Amino acid sequence: MSDPASNPESSESSRQHPSRRRFLKGGAALSAALVAGAGLPLAGRAQPAPDDPSKVLGGPLRPYGERSPFEPQGRVTQAKPAERGGSFTPLDETLGIITPSALHYVVQRGGRPVIDPAKHRLLVSGLVDRPVILTVEELKRLPSTSHILFLECSGNSRIGRPPTPKNVQGTHGLTACSEWTGVPLALLLREAGVQPGATWIVAEGADATGNERSLPLAKAMDDVLVAYGQNGEALRPDNGYPLRLIVPGWEGNVNVKWLRRLTAVDRPYMTRMESTGHASLMRDGTARQFSFVMEAKSVITFPSGGQQLGGPGFYEIQGLAWSGRGLVRRVEVSTDDGKTWQDARLQEPVLPRAHTRFRLDWPWDGREAVLQSRCTDETGYVQPTPAEVVKVRGRNFVYFNNAIQSWRVAADGSVHHVQA
Ligand SMILES: Nc1nc2c(c(=O)[nH]1)N[C@H]1C(S)=C(S)[C@@H](COP(=O)(O)O)O[C@H]1N2
Ligand SMILES: [Mo]
């Protein structure tokens, strides 16, 4: 399937929870949709389902599964040119806490490189006693571990930049959650013998981006992974095949993809990504640099912008919450624009630095409502309102916006993004 249009609003109709709508509107809507092919991707229309699938021979076995052609489009790409930009996760379509790899958001600035794992090498050098060079096979022989962790681009939910995205895929789709498998970076650094003078690590990828990033040695020795696995198989090429850094809870940009070089150094190297980009402007005009941690954040994914409720009645509000500092302790939901709050149910397992799904039963009375969610993490930190964020940071920043998101449900059931 080709990439969706570069305008994230253009496929809004495919993201209105068709199954949920059909369920609420009754069976008639379902058969109407199948007959007319409404909202179905082309593949689904080209191969109409038989009236009774038990009466015909089904398709052949295949080596690698594909999802049903009746499922919606998936990621939406905002890129210009096509090699540089982001591909947004349809958070309103995902279920549970794991993002399927094919829907994991992607940010790349120099295209997706083609890397032959047999030729790829990882070099660990700099202020070390014994520089190490490893093939991918050699790396895979080392003691490994797996962790379920969210990743979020610090440019997710950027404010003050037109065009304003109108749905949760556009406002929050630069985050996703996978099970990552790899070798602890600490093990490689111990093997290389980091010298006392080293305080930072510079990580470099093998793509054409120039996405070098400096990482404090303390974090590198703590919980960082050199990952080769994602959700039970090799990393996707989009997400860093064959090797990438996974830096739990820290901004997406330091999670260097297509990793090929780690250099122990005695200071941050002020690379392009950490000096011009990814430094965050504050209200007084100074810039905050090396902030790294993605603070607690949450968003309601249903009902959310662009969706359509079928009428008054029962709805299960759902969303995702996460914190770069550890566990999500509490998510509260308001249906009256922040006047009153109710505790949402948290889906077990609640894991540190992973997406946490929350749910709240909502009998909608059919009147206009403004829905919000607010996350508290294990440090006691509470997700701020947009006004609180602007008070500290002004309106001239791009990165690290974790403010509360509001969705307005109109009396006709349409759901709208509320500009913060
Ligand atoms: N080598 C390299 N690493 C990279 C990037 C890149 O363009 N090149 N993009 C970064 C950015 S900005 C983010 S948010 C994350 C995105 O990871 P993902 O595409 O797997 O979601 O990768 C980071 N690592
Ligand atoms: Mo990013």
Side-chain angles (χ1 to χ4, degrees), residues 227-307:
Y228 48 78
Q230 178 181 8
N231 297 330
E233 61 178 351
L235 295 173
R236 290 293 166 111
D238 298 305
N239 304 111
Y241 184 86
L243 299 178
R244 78 173 304 167
L245 273 193
I246 288 292
V247 187
W250 285 23
E251 65 167 333
N253 191 262
V254 297
N255 292 254
V256 174
K257 301 194 276 190
W258 310 297
L259 181 71
R260 72 170 172 192
R261 211 175 281 146
L262 294 163
T263 311
V265 293
D266 60 358
R267 78 197 90 130
Y269 262 54
M270 300 297 169
T271 66
R272 179 164 64 100
M273 290 297 165
E274 56 208 28
S275 50
T276 57
H278 295 263
S280 203
L281 215 53
M282 304 298 278
R283 197 189 176 96
D284 63 3
T286 59
R288 192 174 74 173
Q289 203 177 16
F290 300 118
S291 11
F292 291 132
V293 178
M294 302 310 294
E295 299 286 0
K297 186 164 168 179
S298 69
V299 69
I300 292 171
T301 55
F302 178 83
S304 61
Q307 294 172 347

Coordinates of all heavy atoms in Angstrom, one line a residue, residues 227-307:
A227 N 19.5 -2.2 20.9 CA 18.4 -3.1 20.5 C 18.5 -3.6 19.1 O 18.9 -2.9 18.2 CB 17.1 -2.4 20.7
Y228 N 18.2 -4.9 18.9 CA 18.0 -5.4 17.6 C 16.6 -6.0 17.4 O 16.3 -6.5 16.3 CB 19.1 -6.5 17.3 CG 19.3 -7.5 18.4 CD1 18.4 -8.6 18.6 CD2 20.4 -7.4 19.3 CE1 18.6 -9.5 19.6 CE2 20.6 -8.3 20.3 CZ 19.7 -9.4 20.5 OH 19.8 -10.3 21.5
G229 N 15.8 -6.1 18.5 CA 14.5 -6.7 18.4 C 13.4 -5.8 18.7 O 13.6 -4.9 19.6
Q230 N 12.3 -5.9 18.1 CA 11.1 -5.1 18.3 C 9.8 -6.0 18.2 O 9.6 -6.6 17.1 CB 11.1 -4.0 17.3 CG 9.9 -3.1 17.3 CD 9.9 -2.0 16.2 OE1 10.8 -2.0 15.3 NE2 9.0 -1.0 16.3
N231 N 9.1 -6.1 19.3 CA 7.9 -6.9 19.3 C 8.1 -8.3 18.7 O 7.3 -8.8 17.9 CB 6.8 -6.2 18.5 CG 6.4 -4.9 19.2 OD1 6.5 -4.7 20.4 ND2 6.0 -3.9 18.4
G232 N 9.2 -9.0 19.2 CA 9.3 -10.4 18.9 C 10.0 -10.7 17.6 O 10.2 -11.9 17.2
E233 N 10.5 -9.7 16.8 CA 11.2 -10.0 15.6 C 12.3 -8.9 15.4 O 12.4 -8.0 16.3 CB 10.3 -10.0 14.4 CG 9.6 -8.7 14.1 CD 8.7 -8.8 12.9 OE1 8.7 -9.7 12.1 OE2 7.9 -7.8 12.7
A234 N 13.0 -8.9 14.4 CA 14.1 -7.9 14.1 C 13.4 -6.5 14.1 O 12.2 -6.4 13.7 CB 14.8 -8.2 12.8
L235 N 14.2 -5.5 14.4 CA 13.7 -4.1 14.3 C 13.2 -3.9 12.8 O 13.7 -4.5 11.9 CB 14.9 -3.1 14.4 CG 15.6 -3.0 15.8 CD1 16.8 -2.1 15.6 CD2 14.6 -2.4 16.8
R236 N 12.2 -3.1 12.7 CA 11.8 -2.7 11.3 C 12.8 -1.7 10.7 O 13.4 -0.9 11.5 CB 10.4 -2.0 11.4 CG 9.3 -2.9 11.7 CD 9.1 -3.9 10.6 NE 8.2 -5.0 11.0 CZ 7.0 -5.2 10.5 NH1 6.4 -4.3 9.7 NH2 6.3 -6.3 10.9
P237 N 13.0 -1.8 9.4 CA 13.9 -0.8 8.8 C 13.6 0.6 9.2 O 14.5 1.4 9.4 CB 13.7 -1.1 7.3 CG 13.4 -2.5 7.2 CD 12.5 -2.8 8.5
D238 N 12.3 1.0 9.3 CA 11.9 2.3 9.6 C 12.4 2.7 11.0 O 12.6 3.9 11.3 CB 10.4 2.4 9.7 CG 9.7 2.2 8.4 OD1 10.1 2.8 7.4 OD2 8.8 1.3 8.3
N239 N 12.5 1.7 11.9 CA 12.8 1.9 13.3 C 14.2 1.6 13.7 O 14.5 1.5 14.9 CB 11.8 1.2 14.2 CG 10.4 1.5 13.9 OD1 9.6 0.7 13.4 ND2 9.9 2.7 14.2
G240 N 15.1 1.4 12.7 CA 16.5 1.3 13.0 C 17.3 0.1 12.6 O 18.4 -0.1 13.0
Y241 N 16.7 -0.8 11.8 CA 17.3 -2.1 11.5 C 18.7 -1.9 11.0 O 18.9 -1.0 10.1 CB 16.5 -2.8 10.4 CG 17.0 -4.1 10.0 CD1 16.7 -5.3 10.7 CD2 17.9 -4.3 8.9 CE1 17.1 -6.5 10.3 CE2 18.3 -5.5 8.5 CZ 17.9 -6.6 9.2 OH 18.4 -7.9 8.8
P242 N 19.7 -2.6 11.4 CA 19.6 -3.7 12.3 C 19.8 -3.4 13.8 O 19.5 -4.2 14.6 CB 20.8 -4.7 11.8 CG 21.8 -3.7 11.3 CD 21.1 -2.5 10.8
L243 N 20.4 -2.2 14.1 CA 20.7 -1.8 15.5 C 20.2 -0.4 15.8 O 20.4 0.5 15.0 CB 22.2 -1.9 15.8 CG 22.9 -3.3 15.6 CD1 24.4 -3.1 15.9 CD2 22.3 -4.4 16.5
R244 N 19.7 -0.2 17.1 CA 19.5 1.1 17.5 C 19.7 1.3 19.0 O 19.7 0.3 19.7 CB 18.0 1.5 17.2 CG 17.0 0.9 18.2 CD 15.6 1.5 18.0 NE 15.6 2.9 18.0 CZ 14.5 3.6 17.6 NH1 13.4 3.0 17.2 NH2 14.5 4.9 17.7
L245 N 19.8 2.5 19.4 CA 19.8 2.8 20.9 C 18.3 2.9 21.3 O 17.5 3.5 20.7 CB 20.5 4.1 21.2 CG 22.0 4.1 21.4 CD1 22.3 5.5 22.0 CD2 22.5 3.0 22.3
I246 N 18.1 2.3 22.5 CA 16.8 2.5 23.2 C 17.2 3.2 24.6 O 17.9 2.5 25.4 CB 16.0 1.2 23.4 CG1 15.4 0.8 22.0 CG2 14.9 1.4 24.4 CD1 14.3 1.7 21.4
V247 N 16.7 4.4 24.7 CA 17.1 5.2 25.9 C 15.8 5.4 26.7 O 15.1 6.4 26.5 CB 17.8 6.5 25.5 CG1 18.3 7.2 26.7 CG2 18.9 6.3 24.5
P248 N 15.5 4.5 27.7 CA 14.2 4.5 28.3 C 13.8 5.9 28.9 O 14.5 6.5 29.7 CB 14.3 3.5 29.4 CG 15.3 2.5 28.9 CD 16.3 3.4 28.2
G249 N 12.6 6.3 28.5 CA 12.0 7.6 29.0 C 12.5 8.9 28.5 O 12.0 9.9 28.8
W250 N 13.6 8.8 27.6 CA 14.2 10.0 27.1 C 13.7 10.3 25.7 O 13.2 9.5 25.0 CB 15.7 9.9 27.2 CG 16.3 10.0 28.6 CD1 15.6 9.8 29.7 CD2 17.6 10.4 28.9 NE1 16.4 10.0 30.8 CE2 17.6 10.4 30.4 CE3 18.7 10.8 28.2 CZ2 18.8 10.7 31.1 CZ3 19.9 11.1 28.9 CH2 19.9 11.1 30.3
E251 N 13.8 11.6 25.3 CA 13.3 12.0 24.1 C 13.7 11.1 22.9 O 14.8 10.7 22.8 CB 13.6 13.5 23.8 CG 15.1 13.7 23.6 CD 15.4 15.1 23.0 OE1 14.5 15.7 22.3 OE2 16.5 15.7 23.2
G252 N 12.7 10.9 22.0 CA 13.0 10.0 20.8 C 14.3 10.3 20.1 O 15.0 9.3 19.8
N253 N 14.7 11.5 20.0 CA 15.8 11.9 19.2 C 17.1 11.2 19.7 O 18.0 11.0 18.8 CB 16.0 13.4 19.1 CG 17.0 13.8 18.1 OD1 18.1 14.1 18.4 ND2 16.6 13.8 16.8
V254 N 17.3 11.0 21.0 CA 18.5 10.4 21.4 C 18.5 8.8 21.2 O 19.6 8.2 21.4 CB 18.9 10.7 22.9 CG1 19.1 12.1 23.1 CG2 17.8 10.1 23.9
N255 N 17.4 8.3 20.8 CA 17.3 6.9 20.5 C 17.8 6.6 19.1 O 17.1 6.3 18.2 CB 15.9 6.4 20.7 CG 15.4 6.5 22.1 OD1 15.2 5.4 22.8 ND2 15.1 7.7 22.6
V256 N 19.1 6.8 19.0 CA 19.7 6.8 17.6 C 19.5 5.5 16.9 O 19.8 4.4 17.4 CB 21.2 7.1 17.7 CG1 21.9 7.0 16.4 CG2 21.4 8.5 18.3
K257 N 18.9 5.6 15.7 CA 18.6 4.5 14.9 C 19.8 4.1 14.0 O 20.7 4.9 13.8 CB 17.4 4.8 14.0 CG 16.1 5.1 14.8 CD 14.9 5.1 14.0 CE 14.6 6.4 13.2 NZ 13.3 6.4 12.6
W258 N 19.8 2.9 13.4 CA 20.8 2.4 12.5 C 22.2 2.7 13.1 O 23.2 3.1 12.4 CB 20.6 3.2 11.1 CG 19.2 3.1 10.6 CD1 18.5 2.0 10.3 CD2 18.3 4.2 10.5 NE1 17.2 2.3 9.9 CE2 17.1 3.7 10.0 CE3 18.4 5.6 10.6 CZ2 16.0 4.5 9.7 CZ3 17.3 6.4 10.4 CH2 16.1 5.8 9.9
L259 N 22.3 2.4 14.4 CA 23.4 2.7 15.2 C 24.7 2.0 14.7 O 24.7 0.8 14.4 CB 23.2 2.2 16.6 CG 24.3 2.5 17.7 CD1 24.3 4.0 18.0 CD2 24.0 1.7 18.9
R260 N 25.8 2.8 14.5 CA 27.0 2.2 14.1 C 28.3 2.6 14.9 O 29.3 2.0 14.8 CB 27.3 2.4 12.6 CG 27.7 3.8 12.2 CD 28.1 3.8 10.8 NE 28.3 5.2 10.3 CZ 28.5 5.5 9.1 NH1 28.5 4.6 8.1 NH2 28.7 6.8 8.7
R261 N 28.1 3.7 15.7 CA 29.3 4.1 16.4 C 29.0 4.7 17.8 O 28.0 5.5 17.9 CB 30.0 5.2 15.5 CG 31.5 5.2 15.7 CD 32.1 6.3 14.7 NE 32.2 5.8 13.4 CZ 32.1 6.6 12.3 NH1 31.9 7.9 12.4 NH2 32.3 6.1 11.1
L262 N 29.7 4.3 18.8 CA 29.6 4.9 20.1 C 30.9 5.3 20.6 O 31.9 4.5 20.6 CB 29.0 3.8 21.1 CG 27.6 3.3 20.8 CD1 27.3 2.0 21.5 CD2 26.6 4.4 21.2
T263 N 31.1 6.6 20.9 CA 32.4 7.1 21.3 C 32.3 7.7 22.7 O 31.5 8.6 23.0 CB 32.8 8.2 20.3 OG1 32.6 7.7 19.0 CG2 34.3 8.6 20.5
A264 N 33.2 7.2 23.6 CA 33.2 7.7 25.0 C 34.0 9.0 24.9 O 35.2 9.1 24.4 CB 33.9 6.7 25.9
V265 N 33.5 10.1 25.5 CA 34.1 11.4 25.4 C 34.0 12.1 26.8 O 33.4 11.6 27.7 CB 33.4 12.3 24.3 CG1 33.7 11.7 22.9 CG2 31.9 12.4 24.5
D266 N 34.6 13.3 26.8 CA 34.7 14.0 28.1 C 33.8 15.2 28.3 O 33.8 16.0 29.2 CB 36.1 14.4 28.4 CG 36.6 15.4 27.3 OD1 35.9 15.7 26.4 OD2 37.8 15.9 27.5
R267 N 32.8 15.3 27.3 CA 31.9 16.5 27.3 C 30.8 16.2 26.2 O 31.1 15.4 25.3 CB 32.6 17.8 27.1 CG 32.9 18.0 25.6 CD 33.9 19.1 25.4 NE 35.3 18.5 25.4 CZ 36.2 18.7 24.4 NH1 35.9 19.6 23.4 NH2 37.3 18.1 24.4
P268 N 29.7 16.9 26.3 CA 28.7 16.8 25.2 C 29.3 17.5 24.0 O 30.0 18.4 24.1 CB 27.5 17.5 25.8 CG 28.0 18.4 26.8 CD 29.2 17.8 27.4
Y269 N 29.0 16.9 22.8 CA 29.7 17.4 21.6 C 28.9 18.5 20.9 O 29.3 18.9 19.8 CB 30.1 16.2 20.7 CG 31.5 15.9 21.0 CD1 32.0 15.6 22.3 CD2 32.4 15.9 19.9 CE1 33.3 15.4 22.5 CE2 33.8 15.6 20.2 CZ 34.2 15.4 21.5 OH 35.5 15.1 21.7
M270 N 27.8 19.0 21.5 CA 27.0 20.1 20.9 C 26.7 19.8 19.4 O 27.0 20.6 18.5 CB 27.8 21.4 21.0 CG 28.0 21.8 22.5 SD 26.5 22.0 23.4 CE 27.1 22.1 25.0
T271 N 26.2 18.6 19.1 CA 25.9 18.2 17.8 C 24.7 19.1 17.3 O 24.0 19.8 18.1 CB 25.4 16.8 17.7 OG1 24.2 16.6 18.4 CG2 26.5 15.9 18.3
R272 N 24.4 19.0 16.0 CA 23.4 19.8 15.4 C 22.0 19.6 16.1 O 21.3 20.5 16.4 CB 23.2 19.4 13.9 CG 22.2 20.2 13.2 CD 22.4 20.0 11.7 NE 22.2 18.7 11.2 CZ 21.1 18.1 10.7 NH1 20.1 18.9 10.5 NH2 21.1 16.9 10.3
M273 N 21.7 18.3 16.4 CA 20.4 18.0 17.0 C 20.3 18.5 18.4 O 19.2 18.7 18.9 CB 20.2 16.5 17.0 CG 20.0 15.9 15.6 SD 18.5 16.6 14.9 CE 18.7 16.1 13.2
E274 N 21.4 18.7 19.1 CA 21.3 19.2 20.5 C 21.6 20.6 20.7 O 21.4 21.2 21.8 CB 22.2 18.3 21.5 CG 23.6 18.2 21.1 CD 24.3 16.9 21.6 OE1 23.5 15.9 21.7 OE2 25.5 16.9 21.9
S275 N 22.1 21.3 19.6 CA 22.3 22.7 19.8 C 21.2 23.5 19.0 O 20.5 24.3 19.7 CB 23.7 23.1 19.2 OG 23.9 22.5 17.9
T276 N 21.0 23.3 17.8 CA 20.0 24.0 17.1 C 18.6 23.4 17.3 O 17.8 24.0 18.0 CB 20.2 24.1 15.5 OG1 20.3 22.8 15.0 CG2 21.5 24.8 15.3
G277 N 18.4 22.2 16.9 CA 17.2 21.5 17.1 C 17.2 20.9 18.6 O 18.3 20.9 19.2
H278 N 16.1 20.6 19.1 CA 16.0 19.9 20.4 C 16.4 20.7 21.6 O 16.4 20.2 22.7 CB 16.6 18.5 20.3 CG 15.9 17.7 19.4 ND1 14.9 16.8 19.8 CD2 15.9 17.6 18.0 CE1 14.4 16.2 18.7 NE2 15.0 16.7 17.6
A279 N 16.9 21.9 21.4 CA 17.0 22.8 22.6 C 15.7 23.5 22.6 O 15.1 23.8 21.6 CB 18.2 23.8 22.4
S280 N 15.2 23.8 23.8 CA 13.8 24.2 23.9 C 13.7 25.7 24.4 O 14.2 25.9 25.5 CB 13.0 23.3 24.8 OG 11.7 23.3 24.5
L281 N 13.1 26.5 23.6 CA 13.0 28.0 24.0 C 12.1 28.2 25.2 O 11.0 27.6 25.3 CB 12.5 28.8 22.8 CG 13.1 30.2 22.6 CD1 14.6 30.1 22.6 CD2 12.6 30.8 21.3
M282 N 12.5 29.0 26.1 CA 11.7 29.3 27.3 C 11.1 30.7 27.2 O 11.4 31.5 26.2 CB 12.6 29.3 28.6 CG 13.3 27.9 28.8 SD 12.2 26.5 29.0 CE 11.8 26.7 30.7
R283 N 10.2 31.0 28.1 CA 9.5 32.3 28.0 C 10.4 33.5 27.9 O 10.1 34.5 27.2 CB 8.6 32.4 29.3 CG 7.5 33.4 29.2 CD 6.9 33.6 30.5 NE 5.9 34.6 30.4 CZ 4.6 34.4 30.2 NH1 4.1 33.2 30.1 NH2 3.8 35.4 30.1
D284 N 11.5 33.5 28.7 CA 12.4 34.7 28.7 C 13.4 34.7 27.6 O 14.3 35.5 27.6 CB 13.2 34.7 30.1 CG 14.1 33.5 30.3 OD1 14.2 32.7 29.4 OD2 14.7 33.4 31.4
G285 N 13.3 33.8 26.6 CA 14.2 33.8 25.5 C 15.4 33.0 25.6 O 16.1 32.7 24.6
T286 N 15.7 32.5 26.8 CA 16.8 31.5 26.9 C 16.4 30.2 26.5 O 15.2 29.9 26.3 CB 17.3 31.4 28.4 OG1 16.2 31.0 29.2 CG2 17.8 32.8 28.9
A287 N 17.3 29.3 26.2 CA 17.0 27.9 25.8 C 17.4 26.9 26.8 O 18.4 27.0 27.5 CB 17.7 27.6 24.4
R288 N 16.5 25.9 26.9 CA 16.7 24.8 27.8 C 17.4 23.7 27.0 O 16.8 23.3 26.0 CB 15.4 24.4 28.4 CG 15.5 23.4 29.6 CD 14.1 23.2 30.2 NE 13.3 22.3 29.3 CZ 12.1 21.8 29.6 NH1 11.6 22.2 30.8 NH2 11.5 21.0 28.8
Q289 N 18.5 23.2 27.4 CA 19.3 22.2 26.6 C 19.4 21.0 27.5 O 19.5 21.0 28.7 CB 20.6 22.8 26.3 CG 21.2 22.2 25.1 CD 22.6 22.8 24.7 OE1 23.1 23.5 25.5 NE2 23.0 22.6 23.5
F290 N 19.5 19.8 26.8 CA 19.7 18.5 27.4 C 18.6 18.3 28.5 O 18.9 17.9 29.6 CB 21.1 18.5 28.1 CG 22.2 18.6 27.1 CD1 23.1 19.7 27.2 CD2 22.4 17.7 26.0 CE1 24.2 19.8 26.3 CE2 23.4 17.9 25.1 CZ 24.3 18.9 25.2
S291 N 17.4 18.5 28.1 CA 16.3 18.2 29.1 C 16.0 16.7 29.1 O 15.6 16.2 30.1 CB 15.1 19.1 28.9 OG 15.1 19.8 27.7
F292 N 16.1 16.1 27.9 CA 16.0 14.6 27.8 C 14.7 13.9 28.2 O 14.1 13.2 27.4 CB 17.2 14.0 28.5 CG 18.5 14.2 27.9 CD1 19.6 14.6 28.7 CD2 18.7 14.0 26.6 CE1 20.9 14.7 28.2 CE2 20.0 14.2 26.0 CZ 21.1 14.5 26.8
V293 N 14.3 14.1 29.5 CA 13.2 13.2 30.0 C 11.9 13.7 29.4 O 11.5 14.8 29.4 CB 13.2 13.3 31.5 CG1 12.0 12.4 32.1 CG2 14.5 12.8 32.1
M294 N 11.1 12.7 29.0 CA 9.7 13.0 28.6 C 8.8 12.9 29.8 O 8.6 11.8 30.4 CB 9.2 12.0 27.5 CG 10.1 11.9 26.3 SD 10.4 13.5 25.5 CE 8.8 14.0 25.0
E295 N 8.3 14.1 30.2 CA 7.5 14.1 31.5 C 6.1 13.5 31.3 O 5.7 13.3 30.1 CB 7.3 15.6 31.9 CG 8.7 16.3 32.2 CD 9.3 15.9 33.5 OE1 8.8 15.1 34.2 OE2 10.4 16.5 33.8
A296 N 5.5 13.3 32.4 CA 4.2 12.6 32.4 C 3.2 13.3 31.4 O 3.1 14.5 31.4 CB 3.6 12.6 33.8
K297 N 2.4 12.4 30.7 CA 1.5 12.9 29.7 C 0.4 11.9 29.5 O 0.6 10.7 29.7 CB 2.3 13.1 28.4 CG 1.6 13.8 27.2 CD 2.7 14.3 26.2 CE 2.1 14.7 24.9 NZ 3.2 15.2 24.0
S298 N -0.7 12.3 29.0 CA -1.8 11.4 28.7 C -2.7 12.0 27.6 O -2.6 13.2 27.4 CB -2.6 11.1 29.9 OG -3.4 12.3 30.3
V299 N -3.4 11.2 26.9 CA -4.4 11.7 26.0 C -5.5 10.7 25.8 O -5.3 9.5 25.9 CB -3.7 12.0 24.6 CG1 -3.3 10.7 23.9 CG2 -4.6 12.8 23.7
I300 N -6.7 11.3 25.6 CA -7.9 10.4 25.4 C -7.9 10.1 23.9 O -7.8 11.0 23.0 CB -9.2 11.2 25.8 CG1 -9.3 11.3 27.3 CG2 -10.4 10.4 25.2 CD1 -10.4 12.2 27.8
T301 N -8.0 8.8 23.6 CA -7.9 8.4 22.1 C -9.3 8.1 21.6 O -9.6 8.1 20.4 CB -7.1 7.1 22.0 OG1 -7.5 6.1 22.9 CG2 -5.6 7.4 22.3
F302 N -10.3 7.8 22.5 CA -11.7 7.7 22.2 C -12.6 8.3 23.3 O -12.4 7.8 24.4 CB -12.1 6.3 21.9 CG -13.6 6.2 21.5 CD1 -14.0 6.4 20.3 CD2 -14.5 5.9 22.5 CE1 -15.4 6.4 19.9 CE2 -15.9 5.8 22.2 CZ -16.3 6.1 20.9
P303 N -13.5 9.2 23.1 CA -13.7 9.9 21.8 C -12.6 11.0 21.6 O -12.2 11.6 22.5 CB -15.0 10.6 22.0 CG -15.6 10.0 23.2 CD -14.5 9.6 24.1
S304 N -12.2 11.1 20.3 CA -11.1 12.1 20.1 C -11.4 12.8 18.7 O -12.3 12.3 18.0 CB -9.8 11.5 20.1 OG -9.6 10.5 19.1
G305 N -10.7 13.9 18.4 CA -11.0 14.8 17.3 C -11.2 14.0 16.0 O -10.5 13.1 15.6
G306 N -12.2 14.4 15.3 CA -12.5 13.8 14.0 C -13.5 12.6 14.1 O -14.0 12.2 13.1
Q307 N -13.7 12.1 15.3 CA -14.6 11.0 15.4 C -16.1 11.5 15.6 O -16.3 12.7 15.7 CB -14.2 10.1 16.7 CG -12.9 9.5 16.5 CD -12.4 8.8 17.8 OE1 -12.9 9.0 18.9 NE2 -11.4 8.0 17.6

